[in-house]
Amino acid sequence: MKTTVFLSLMLLSASVWAETLTVTPNSAVRLTVSNREPNVIAVMNDRIVEANSAAGKLADKKTTDSGALIFTTEETAPFSLYIETEKGFGFTVNAIPVKKSQGINVSVINAEAKADAVAQEWEKTSDSYSQFITRTFTAAMNDNIPTGFVKNGRVNVSWSASVLANFRFRDSVSFQGKHVRLLRVNIENKTSQPIQLNERVFWVPQTMAIAFNPTVNTLRPHEQVTLFLLIKEKPE
């Protein structure tokens, strides 16, 4: 008998297994899925419009109003599922069914996600360069992502050897604008001595501005602070 998808069941079981993955377009990701409970996959800042697999591999599938995919399977052997979104982002899920596994709840981040068109308006509406910097950092520090910016997986930065020797980096998040990229990362003093924080130490090529939250001058051993880095992007 085909399995019917019950949204209430999905929310109850999948919430335990919530996970975020960064995926490069046209790549493949291996996921353990349940063959007894509904599974859900969503793409951040996008909507899934296609989900194709070999005939009979999926017992049922549907998309929610928000564009997430809910599917069930009764398979016991691995199978592939190709997913495509409204914005043309495609990737393959190599699914590994596990009977005792609870339904998964996976949020996918497009590693190369582009900013929405309105992001350019955010960048243009400031009266000056300094006002743009202040508006952007103030929004980010209040957990208000600038209008039109999208979260993506471009978190890698070529930090200097001295920075890497003194600081530990955690929870890096990148937000892509039209001509700028905003990086938010928690940094920790991993040495046994206090370190004076100097913005210039963290500068990388194309840096526009740097800010710390909270604003501190010195970071004691094992203390953390959030670093915001605004990077100028090359025109597309």
Side-chain angles (χ1 to χ4, degrees):
M1 179 183 295
K2 297 297 184 182
T3 304
T4 302
V5 175
F6 292 103
L7 186 57
S8 59
L9 175 62
M10 180 275 293
L11 293 173
L12 176 63
S13 63
S15 60
V16 181
W17 294 90
E19 183 178 8
T20 300
L21 298 176
T22 299
V23 179
T24 303
N26 302 313
S27 66
V29 58
R30 184 177 183 271
L31 289 178
T32 297
V33 302
S34 175
N35 59 8
R36 67 184 180 93
E37 292 184 3
N39 302 280
V40 61
I41 298 175
V43 177
M44 193 171 295
N45 304 307
D46 210 341
R47 299 173 56 84
I48 294 174
V49 294
E50 293 288 342
N52 298 312
S53 191
K57 298 298 182 181
L58 300 183
D60 197 4
K61 67 175 181 179
K62 70 174 183 180
T63 53
T64 67
D65 291 342
S66 62
L69 170 70
I70 306 173
F71 69 92
T72 57
T73 182
E74 296 174 356
E75 292 295 305
T76 57
F79 64 92
S80 295
L81 172 65
Y82 181 75
I83 292 175
E84 187 170 352
T85 71
E86 192 172 60
K87 295 181 180 178
F89 171 46
F91 61 98
T92 299
V93 173
N94 290 327
I96 313 297
V98 177
K99 186 175 181 179
K100 294 183 179 181
S101 174
Q102 291 182 304
I104 62 167
N105 184 4
V106 174
S107 180
V108 173
I109 298 175
N110 180 354
E112 299 179 9
K114 305 296 183 183
D116 295 335
V118 292
Q120 191 165 357
E121 295 302 314
W122 174 276
E123 298 173 18
K124 284 183 175 180
T125 51
S126 299
D127 293 332
S128 65
Y129 179 86
S130 60
Q131 186 187 64
F132 166 68
I133 299 297
T134 300
R135 287 178 66 232
T136 302
F137 280 154
T138 299
M141 289 179 186
N142 287 287
D143 292 325
N144 296 320
I145 304 308
T147 304
F149 282 50
V150 296
K151 189 175 181 180
N152 67 12
R154 298 180 58 207
V155 297
N156 294 328
V157 175
S158 299
W159 303 112
S160 68
S162 61
V163 167
L164 294 174
N166 291 303
F167 298 96
R168 183 175 291 111
F169 296 83
R170 292 192 175 97
D171 304 323
S172 299
V173 181
S174 173
F175 299 97
Q176 185 69 48
K178 187 66 176 177
H179 302 109
V180 299
R181 177 162 58 102
L182 175 64
L183 183 71
R184 183 185 71 203
V185 56
N186 291 333
I187 61 172
E188 177 190 349
N189 176 359
K190 66 178 184 180
T191 75
S192 59
Q193 301 295 325
I195 298 177
Q196 185 174 1
L197 286 180
N198 184 336
E199 293 180 5
R200 299 293 302 183
V201 171
F202 296 93
W203 278 56
V204 297
Q206 302 301 314
T207 293
M208 298 174 66
I210 288 174
F212 300 105
N213 188 32
T215 301
V216 293
N217 295 319
T218 303
L219 205 59
R220 294 192 292 268
H222 307 298
E223 274 192 335
Q224 297 185 37
V225 68
T226 301
L227 167 70
F228 292 90
L229 180 66
L230 198 59
I231 302 172
K232 185 176 182 180
E233 296 280 73
K234 296 180 180 179
E236 297 179 3

